Amino acid sequence: MLASLSPARRRLWLAVAALVVLATVAGSVALVLGRDEPAPPVAQGEVGPVLLLPGYGGSDAGLEDLAGALEAEGRTVEVVPPPGDGRGDLRDHAALVAEAAQAAVAAGAPSVDVVGYSAGGVAARLYVAELGGDEITRRVLTLASPHHGTELAEAAGLAGAGCPEGCQQLQPDSELLAGLNAGDETPSGPEWAALWTEDDQTVVPPTSGRLDGAVSFGLQDVCPDLVVSHGEVPSTPAVLRIVVAELDTTPPAVPGPEVC
């Protein structure tokens, strides 16, 4: 077809074709870049409901004190337990968190705050990183969460003592944790805080609770004399005061000794 055109028309046709190709490529690049753009910061000045996520096994009994402390401050609280016996795929728990958060926002909440205890903190990260939580979550606070795995889960797997899928995902070399920790450990959108206790014998080492990009601190950095086991974290008065403070409208920060 080009051969039948005059030189001037041939040059015009080639120029138009080149512009079309460039526009198509530019549009494709823009779409790709748009997908990779970080979520804008979620507004911090107005609070919404707090979603509490239990740990491995799914029992919410240990979160009653925490829920009560937040409700005493006028916060609306919803516990989002994992499905089944709480020992399955942590992504299933994250999906339930996404459903609860979306329902809260659809009902008029400006955003949600998420507090994940133990494995619940890992589910919270999955929700933010993979399920759109970065767009509607104001703050995420994790309590004694095995963000980098726990040797206890690794030992259970090696001993063949029964390590369900959730347990396998909490092993230090698990595919799930490798994926979560490969990039930003704290995706944009929410503000993040992470607390752990040096007396933890479930999350081993306890500093697995540290989270890059978050306000991270050990409980004993704030209250040196406190002895708090893993199971005591969500009911310890100092921790309750810390959680209330971290979910306020002021920026997350390492608290002072007044919480002790």
Side-chain angles (χ1 to χ4, degrees):
M1 181 180 72
L2 290 177
S4 65
L5 299 176
S6 67
R9 288 180 176 274
R10 188 182 305 126
R11 287 193 298 270
L12 177 62
W13 191 94
L14 290 173
V16 170
L19 288 173
V20 170
V21 170
L22 286 173
T24 302
V25 171
S28 299
V29 170
L31 285 174
V32 171
L33 291 176
R35 284 196 299 268
D36 292 340
E37 286 180 356
V42 176
Q44 297 290 310
E46 187 178 2
V47 300
V50 182
L51 306 181
L52 299 183
L53 315 187
Y56 183 74
S59 172
D60 58 358
L63 301 183
E64 293 175 354
D65 290 339
L66 183 53
L70 289 164
E71 288 169 347
E73 295 295 320
R75 302 297 297 270
T76 300
V77 178
E78 178 181 353
V79 177
V80 185
D85 65 358
R87 294 173 171 82
D89 192 335
L90 292 174
R91 288 189 175 89
D92 292 340
H93 193 188
L96 292 181
V97 179
E99 289 180 12
Q102 291 160 6
V105 172
S111 60
V112 296
D113 290 344
V114 179
V115 180
Y117 165 58
S118 193
V122 178
R125 290 178 63 200
L126 287 167
Y127 150 68
V128 174
E130 300 180 359
L131 299 175
D134 55 340
E135 298 179 351
I136 59 174
T137 307
R138 190 185 72 103
R139 295 210 178 158
V140 180
L141 172 58
T142 67
L143 306 175
S145 294
H147 295 302
H148 304 276
T150 170
E151 294 173 7
L152 197 67
E154 183 177 43
L158 291 173
C163 188
E165 187 169 12
C167 168
Q168 296 171 34
Q169 290 172 333
L170 297 176
Q171 294 174 355
D173 60 350
S174 76
E175 181 180 353
L176 182 143
L177 291 179
L180 270 180
N181 297 330
D184 292 334
E185 293 186 6
T186 52
S188 59
E191 293 192 357
W192 297 76
L195 173 154
W196 68 90
T197 173
E198 293 176 2
D199 305 308
D200 204 324
Q201 295 184 345
T202 299
V203 175
V204 182
T207 51
S208 182
R210 183 181 290 119
L211 197 53
D212 289 348
V215 174
S216 292
F217 54 95
L219 181 58
Q220 287 74 23
D221 295 334
V222 180
C223 306
D225 297 329
L226 281 185
V227 177
V228 179
S229 69
H230 184 81
E232 294 171 330
V233 167
S235 60
T236 296
V239 175
L240 304 184
R241 289 189 281 269
I242 289 171
V243 171
V244 168
E246 298 296 340
L247 298 186
D248 201 351
T249 54
T250 55
V254 178
E258 67 277 0
V259 300
C260 303

